[in-house]
Amino acid sequence: MNEKTDVLQGTLALMILKTLEAMGPQHGYGIARRIEQVSEGALQLNQGTLYPALVKLEQQRWIKTRWGTSDNNRKAKFYSLTPRGARQLAAEESKWSRVASLVGRFLVNPAGDA
Amino acid sequence: MDALRRLWTRWAEWRRPGTVEADLSAELQSHLDFLIDDHLRRGLSPAEARRAAQLDLGGLEQARALTRDARGFRVGDAFVSDVRLAIRHLRRTPGFTAAALAILALGIGANSAIFTVVDAVMLRPLPYTDPGRLVSVWEVMSEGLSAPGAAAQPAPPQRTAVAPANLADYAARVKSLSSMAAYSSLGFNLTGGGAPERVLGEEISANYFQTLGVSPAMGRTFSPDENTAGRDRVVIISHALWQSRFGGTPDVLGKTVRLGEPHEIVGVLPVGFVALSQPGAAEPVSVWVPMAFEPGVLTRRQEHLVQVVARLAPNASVESARAELAAVSDAMAREFPDMGTARGALAPVRADQITDVRTMLYVLLAAVALVLLVACVNVAGLLLVRALSRRREMAVRFALGATRNRMVFEQVVQSLVLATAGGMLGLLLGWATTRFLVAVAPASLPHIQDAGLDARVLVFTLVIVLITGLVFGAWPAMQAAKVDPVDALKDGERSVTSAWVVRRRATLLITEVALSAVLLVGALLMIRSLMALDRVDLGFDHSNVLAASVALSPAYGTPEARLKFFESLDAKLKQIPGVTATAFGNRFPLRGNLISGILLDSDPQYKQAGFQAVNPNYFATFGIPLKRGRALAEGDRNGAASVAVVNEAFGRVLLKGADPIGHVIRRGPAMPSITVVGVVGDVRRTGRTDETGTRAAEIVPQFYLPAAQTTLYPMALREVAVKMTAGAAGVPEAIRAVVLSIDPNQPVTAVRTLDASLAIGAAQKRFQTSLFVLFAFVAFGLAIVGVYGVIAYGVSQRSAEIALRLTLGATKTGIVLDIMRRTAIMVAAGVSAGLAVAFVTSRFVANLLFEIAPTDPVTYAIAAAGLLVAGVAAGGLAGLRATKVNPITALK
């Protein structure tokens, strides 16, 4: 697989995990809406691409699934974070912030002096 | 860990198939419902809401496909869904599917049909016990009869039947053969118990069935004392005859049938038994009678009369038996000088039955495989174009995580589905073709009547289908998988990939043309072979000559009685309207041959020569010219001087060119001296070719005795011939009527014109040539259509470039000529490759050709010219499409 795909999938995975942590158990539609909301429309998500990512996360045992009923009484498949998923999320979050701060240092002071 | 988890999912899916798919479908459906609700809330109509929702979701099918890819399913699970997907895709493009299926059915069907024939003739085990240990035994005379004019090489040994006198000694002395049985085929007129019918039968020694390991279903086989004259009025019948003539009743034993004389039925054979002389016989062999010789035969070692089958002893091999037989023959020749140069030889029965046809069948198999290859290449080209049109879809799936292997697998499954569908159609086509092949097959193909669908044929077809699917499917799939997604997602016809397809198709085209060239060369060689065959001069006039066999019953006990019958028959035959000349004798050219040892003048060495007993008008009837001396006359009868007439080869070969007139011949030291009084023209008695079929038949020394001098020859008169005026009708019936008017119980058989007999001899060559020409024609057609397709496609892909050239001043003619030039280059490349391959492999068909070298340059030139002209014409025709290009629209 090429790099582009990995980055795309990695980012999407992170967003899904964070959403589940923030909102608790959600179905696929709910996750998609939430991601669109948070990005304030900047991310036009092809919602079909959500499901392959969900499958991968489930295979990694970071999320688990259960069929249930939604608020408006529709049957839907609910995803929730597992303890392993929570640990993975924490690790990813710290990695992102380390990368962001390192890059940030270069961008603010390109010459390198105060 | 990941792999284990995937295995677990696959296991769960295998246990309850479809649940994971159904699960996903339900989930996607619920997502869609949410989206629809959303849009409805925003005020869209239900239809609009649904459309908008589907846009948001990005297409259910695609989502499903992407998710499936992400799950990373492997072979078994993906297979069923891929098959369904493939069928769906194929139904959506009926034009492509129909074309591909037709081409595949043609290729696979032809292979299936030819294999069915090969199976029946060469592979199916013979219906005897332990058939691998049965051998045919014959004798070989090592002094050949070729005329000195032939190339300076040792004359090939002549194969001949076994002399019963020798057989007795072989059976006693050769320990490697545990039992030896004699048989000889015979025609009978069967009367009594129903309408008269003609049947084929065998005269056999008592141990014939025992040697073959076959027991009768009812009754018994013959006992050894029934092999003597007078005790041989018994018969064993086949299962089929028992059913058809006796209604399959259990009380058939003891009933009598007349085969000339009355014979008592003592046994019925089991169903499915096939006589050893069946291969090549026109009708089923249905009766067996004991062989009975008059005692003198067992002392004359020069009378080669019987076929022999033997079983290898338990610890012997074919080689050891062969060696022992040769050694015993040599010892016997020293002990019995009148054995002459004959020596025993043997070969396994099956191999012996198929020697003549083995090469032809292999060549046909190879040819039909080439046709299938051409078909595959053709379909591969079609698939490439199709893969191109799906490149965008594939590129998206790549970008979103589908593995390359997954895509290739899906493509391979699609190809296999296509191949299987083509295979089923092909099996149907093959079955019909087999029926046709059986009907037109030459009788020389043993067991061809049994050709039919059996397990071996089905397995073969399955294997062919698999190989075909993988061959034409894998390559386009792998090529498509290498497509660069970035390029593919760009808009426009000018993308890299379409030109790449054109290049690949050009390669395929060159391959197709090359394969077609190979088959074309083969077909042309065979056609020219047949033409050369037709030009061989037989030495006698075979047009408008009708011959018939009149085998007299033993009631005509003496040669004089037989002569009287034939002379009165001859007188009556002359009166039939339309008959201009009549003849009678023992066996006529194209219907039989007899070789005798003779002693010439005072030379004690036996020489071999063919001989016949004929009436004086024989030479006029057959148009054989008199060269010197006098022909046989009415005055040459018993009591007058014993005379003979010989052919020119007699003088050339046996007398070193001296004039034969005046020389004396004897058939044995104690036999009457016969003076040669005339020389007639040479004839080729056995047909146009020798036994190998690759050279013209030898012209052998021949002597003719007057039929009326009955003391001079041992065999019975049995054939008549009449020369007819062209267009004379009703002659066969008239002949029968005349014979019946002399003796109402006398059957007349094998009534055939000489031209018909000739046709039978050429049947095998005609059969193989027709099939080969058919295959070459199909391959040629596919290749030329392929040329058209590729050029047309290339033109359509280059329409912008062509439009540009048109606006810049090029003429339409110029463009078409340019296209034709490019076509010519490709076709020429294919033709060169094909001719090179043909040149190298053609020696394998050398012994199917008659007097034409497999590397004959004229043939190759014709093939090359044919393909070039047709190919360039097809390219030109396709190029005409270029002239329809509207520059303005094309350049958009």
Side-chain angles (χ1 to χ4, degrees):
Chain A
M1 265 195 279
N2 53 41
E3 207 190 87
K4 219 191 312 184
T5 331
D6 277 340
V7 170
L8 189 65
Q9 287 203 335
T11 326
L12 191 55
L14 183 57
M15 289 193 274
I16 294 173
L17 290 177
K18 190 66 188 177
T19 307
L20 287 178
E21 191 203 44
M23 298 182 64
Q26 265 302 332
H27 43 69
Y29 173 71
I31 298 173
R33 289 307 308 275
R34 169 75 177 174
I35 291 177
E36 272 173 6
Q37 262 174 1
V38 167
S39 71
E40 288 168 9
L43 188 61
Q44 294 289 353
L45 186 64
N46 177 345
Q47 303 190 355
T49 62
L50 194 64
Y51 285 94
L54 286 169
V55 164
K56 281 259 162 23
L57 290 176
E58 188 183 352
Q59 281 179 344
Q60 307 277 53
R61 291 283 196 271
W62 293 338
I63 59 179
K64 61 177 191 276
T65 69
R66 183 181 55 83
W67 276 94
T69 344
S70 71
D71 314 337
N72 51 352
N73 271 322
R74 283 214 183 278
K75 258 199 82 171
K77 197 172 184 185
F78 283 80
Y79 296 86
S80 52
L81 206 55
T82 63
R84 294 178 69 166
R87 280 198 297 276
Q88 177 70 13
L89 179 58
E92 284 287 315
E93 275 181 309
S94 79
K95 189 179 87 177
W96 267 103
S97 49
R98 274 202 309 277
V99 167
S101 74
L102 181 64
V103 172
R105 239 177 279 154
F106 275 98
L107 291 178
V108 167
N109 267 330
D113 48 57
Chain B
M1 235 23 247
D2 220 15
L4 275 178
R5 249 180 254 113
R6 273 207 284 271
L7 264 168
W8 173 254
T9 325
R10 284 169 63 201
W11 166 247
E13 168 67 353
W14 182 80
R15 292 285 309 285
R16 294 158 306 157
T19 46
V20 183
E21 272 300 312
D23 198 72
L24 175 64
S25 293
E27 191 177 359
L28 288 173
Q29 187 58 47
S30 100
H31 190 127
L32 196 68
D33 290 338
F34 280 122
L35 281 169
I36 294 175
D37 283 347
D38 241 6
H39 289 301
L40 284 176
R41 258 203 306 276
R42 273 197 221 112
L44 272 65
S45 74
E48 288 169 336
R50 184 169 203 89
R51 237 196 330 271
Q54 282 183 332
L55 268 171
D56 287 338
L57 188 53
L60 274 174
E61 271 314 307
Q62 197 186 41
R64 246 198 277 266
L66 292 174
T67 318
R68 223 185 278 126
D69 289 341
R71 235 182 249 124
F73 271 2
R74 286 335 240 139
V75 184
D77 325 296
F79 190 70
V80 173
S81 60
D82 274 355
V83 167
R84 275 207 291 265
L85 194 71
I87 296 178
R88 228 187 350 244
H89 273 141
L90 286 175
R91 285 172 61 186
R92 262 195 250 133
T93 54
F96 161 83
T97 310
L101 280 183
I103 297 174
L104 287 173
L106 209 61
I108 296 179
N111 272 273
S112 185
I114 296 294
F115 183 80
T116 309
V117 168
V118 169
D119 177 58
V121 172
M122 288 177 43
L123 299 177
R124 204 176 282 177
L126 294 172
Y128 315 123
T129 306
D130 209 0
R133 296 195 66 76
L134 288 173
V135 295
S136 296
V137 181
W138 63 89
E139 294 192 294
V140 177
M141 318 258 259
S142 47
E143 204 178 74
L145 297 175
S146 53
Q153 67 200 23
Q158 303 272 19
R159 171 171 170 161
T160 178
V162 178
N166 292 339
L167 176 60
D169 285 305
Y170 292 146
R173 300 185 190 196
V174 179
K175 300 287 176 257
S176 313
L177 298 172
S178 62
S179 89
M180 296 178 78
Y183 63 99
S184 158
S185 56
L186 215 45
F188 293 103
N189 250 45
L190 182 64
T191 53
E197 74 182 280
R198 169 161 172 75
V199 289
L200 281 184
E202 287 181 333
E203 279 182 335
I204 57 175
S205 59
N207 60 346
Y208 177 78
F209 292 113
Q210 177 220 332
T211 306
L212 293 177
V214 172
S215 307
M218 280 171 63
R220 62 175 179 84
T221 59
F222 302 134
S223 52
D225 60 304
E226 282 168 332
N227 277 129
T228 47
R231 314 279 290 275
D232 57 343
R233 299 279 183 259
V234 285
V235 64
I236 295 177
I237 63 176
S238 70
H239 178 92
L241 190 66
W242 175 45
Q243 295 291 323
S244 67
R245 200 173 178 84
F246 299 96
T249 56
D251 63 343
V252 65
L253 297 180
K255 288 209 175 129
T256 310
V257 290
R258 295 191 71 93
L259 302 164
E261 297 286 317
H263 288 256
E264 182 196 343
I265 299 178
V266 297
V268 176
L269 291 176
V271 80
F273 176 76
V274 173
L276 279 173
S277 57
Q278 187 66 60
E283 289 127 17
V285 175
S286 347
V287 298
W288 287 263
V289 295
M291 196 176 257
F293 293 118
E294 43 121 359
V297 169
L298 289 172
T299 59
R300 293 197 286 272
R301 293 181 187 268
Q302 293 278 352
E303 306 239 345
H304 300 273
L305 300 175
V306 295
Q307 314 288 318
V308 173
V309 62
R311 185 172 282 280
L312 290 175
N315 52 349
S317 68
V318 171
E319 290 73 30
S320 70
R322 185 177 283 146
E324 194 184 348
L325 181 61
V328 165
S329 300
D330 284 334
M332 280 164 62
R334 286 192 291 275
E335 207 178 313
F336 309 109
D338 58 330
M339 204 165 133
T341 57
R343 298 287 181 274
L346 56 82
V349 168
R350 168 143 255 158
D352 195 44
Q353 282 181 348
I354 62 178
T355 31
D356 292 338
V357 298
R358 190 188 280 154
T359 310
M360 171 183 83
L361 286 177
Y362 285 154
V363 166
L364 284 176
L365 269 179
V368 84
L370 281 181
V371 171
L372 184 61
L373 210 52
V374 170
C376 283
V377 169
N378 222 307
V379 174
L382 291 177
L383 274 179
L384 266 182
V385 174
R386 201 145 164 275
L388 180 65
S389 65
R390 293 182 56 200
R391 70 196 192 282
R392 191 166 295 184
E393 177 197 332
M394 296 226 271
V396 169
R397 292 174 64 183
F398 271 131
L400 291 168
T403 62
R404 215 168 289 276
N405 287 351
R406 184 78 182 74
M407 305 296 284
V408 170
F409 181 77
E410 188 185 302
Q411 187 75 297
V412 167
V413 166
Q414 183 159 110
S415 304
L416 281 178
V417 165
L418 193 58
T420 309
M424 294 198 294
L425 280 177
L427 211 58
L428 229 69
L429 186 66
W431 178 84
T433 312
T434 308
R435 297 283 112 237
F436 169 73
L437 285 178
V438 168
V440 304
S444 58
L445 280 178
H447 312 294
I448 181 77
Q449 304 303 324
D450 298 332
L453 215 58
D454 66 2
R456 266 183 304 267
V457 174
L458 281 175
V459 167
F460 173 82
T461 311
L462 195 66
V463 169
I464 292 280
V465 161
L466 279 174
I467 295 177
T468 307
L470 291 174
V471 161
F472 72 69
W475 192 51
M478 308 247 270
Q479 294 289 1
K482 289 201 200 104
V483 165
D484 186 346
V486 175
D487 280 332
L489 285 168
K490 285 200 212 125
D491 260 349
E493 300 288 343
R494 290 181 221 76
S495 60
V496 167
T497 45
S498 73
W500 161 86
V501 164
V502 169
R503 270 200 307 273
R504 289 298 174 283
R505 285 197 81 191
T507 316
L508 289 178
L509 178 82
I510 295 178
T511 317
E512 256 187 294
V513 169
L515 291 171
S516 162
V518 172
L519 281 175
L520 197 57
V521 165
L524 284 172
L525 283 174
M526 291 200 181
I527 292 176
R528 297 190 66 198
S529 214
L530 264 188
M531 285 165 57
L533 192 63
D534 276 338
R535 286 195 293 265
V536 172
D537 182 18
L538 286 168
F540 59 91
D541 188 4
H542 47 86
S543 56
N544 296 320
V545 176
L546 186 68
S549 282
V550 185
L552 293 176
S553 69
Y556 295 83
T558 62
E560 288 73 30
R562 289 195 280 267
L563 177 65
K564 190 141 162 290
F565 175 89
F566 275 98
E567 286 188 318
S568 63
L569 176 58
D570 188 59
K572 296 219 165 126
L573 286 176
K574 282 197 177 54
Q575 320 205 334
I576 298 178
V579 168
T580 57
T582 58
F584 62 86
N586 65 315
R587 284 244 193 241
F588 289 153
L590 301 181
R591 298 169 65 99
N593 202 11
L594 210 56
I595 299 187
S596 174
I598 52 170
L599 297 169
L600 203 50
D601 299 320
S602 44
D603 189 345
Q605 272 284 77
Y606 274 97
K607 307 274 194 283
Q608 311 292 340
F611 84 108
Q612 275 181 276
V614 296
N615 72 331
N617 218 14
Y618 167 80
F619 303 100
T621 310
F622 279 75
I624 302 174
L626 176 69
K627 298 285 185 173
R628 274 201 302 283
R630 70 164 179 89
L632 300 175
E634 292 297 337
D636 297 317
R637 311 190 68 84
N638 280 337
S642 304
V643 294
V645 156
V646 301
N647 68 348
E648 289 178 300
F650 194 96
R652 273 201 313 271
V653 175
L654 300 180
L655 295 172
K656 315 247 187 305
D659 184 0
I661 295 183
H663 287 258
V664 168
I665 54 183
R666 271 172 304 156
R667 286 185 47 250
M671 308 203 78
S673 299
I674 307 170
T675 315
V676 177
V677 295
V679 181
V680 293
D682 292 325
V683 303
R684 291 188 159 96
R685 285 199 57 159
T686 50
R688 295 199 155 106
T689 71
D690 63 2
E691 340 61 70
T692 65
T694 58
R695 285 188 306 270
E698 294 183 277
I699 296 185
V700 304
Q702 183 92 11
F703 65 96
Y704 301 90
L705 299 173
Q709 294 188 330
T710 53
T711 52
L712 297 183
Y713 57 88
M715 62 285 183
L717 297 170
R718 55 186 307 139
E719 298 206 322
V720 292
V722 300
K723 173 100 184 150
M724 309 182 286
T725 53
V731 178
E733 294 73 22
I735 294 182
R736 260 188 244 275
V738 163
V739 170
L740 289 176
S741 74
I742 303 181
D743 181 349
N745 289 324
Q746 188 51 55
V748 178
T749 58
V751 182
R752 265 196 295 271
T753 61
L754 292 185
D755 278 333
S757 298
L758 261 182
I760 294 175
Q764 187 167 314
K765 278 219 162 20
R766 259 173 235 285
F767 179 72
Q768 91 201 12
T769 305
S770 312
L771 282 186
F772 216 93
V773 165
L774 185 65
F775 296 153
F777 184 74
V778 168
F780 184 84
L782 283 176
I784 296 304
V785 167
V787 169
Y788 180 88
V790 169
I791 301 298
Y793 182 76
V795 161
S796 69
Q797 297 298 307
R798 287 171 42 224
S799 58
E801 173 204 331
I802 293 172
L804 202 62
R805 289 169 62 190
L806 281 174
T807 45
L808 288 176
T811 60
K812 294 196 171 177
T813 322
I815 302 246
V816 172
L817 283 177
D818 183 53
I819 290 174
M820 285 171 70
R821 186 183 57 86
R822 290 181 198 226
T823 313
I825 293 176
M826 280 197 292
V827 173
V831 163
S832 318
L835 290 189
V837 170
F839 193 85
V840 164
T841 58
S842 60
R843 61 193 169 88
F844 294 118
V845 306
N847 48 350
L848 295 181
L849 302 175
F850 180 80
E851 303 215 328
I852 185 170
T855 53
D856 175 60
V858 173
T859 311
Y860 282 68
I862 299 176
L867 273 170
L868 267 170
V869 166
V872 170
L877 206 62
L880 281 176
R881 291 179 56 176
T883 62
K884 308 247 177 57
V885 169
N886 183 336
I888 298 168
T889 52
L891 280 171
K892 274 214 208 109

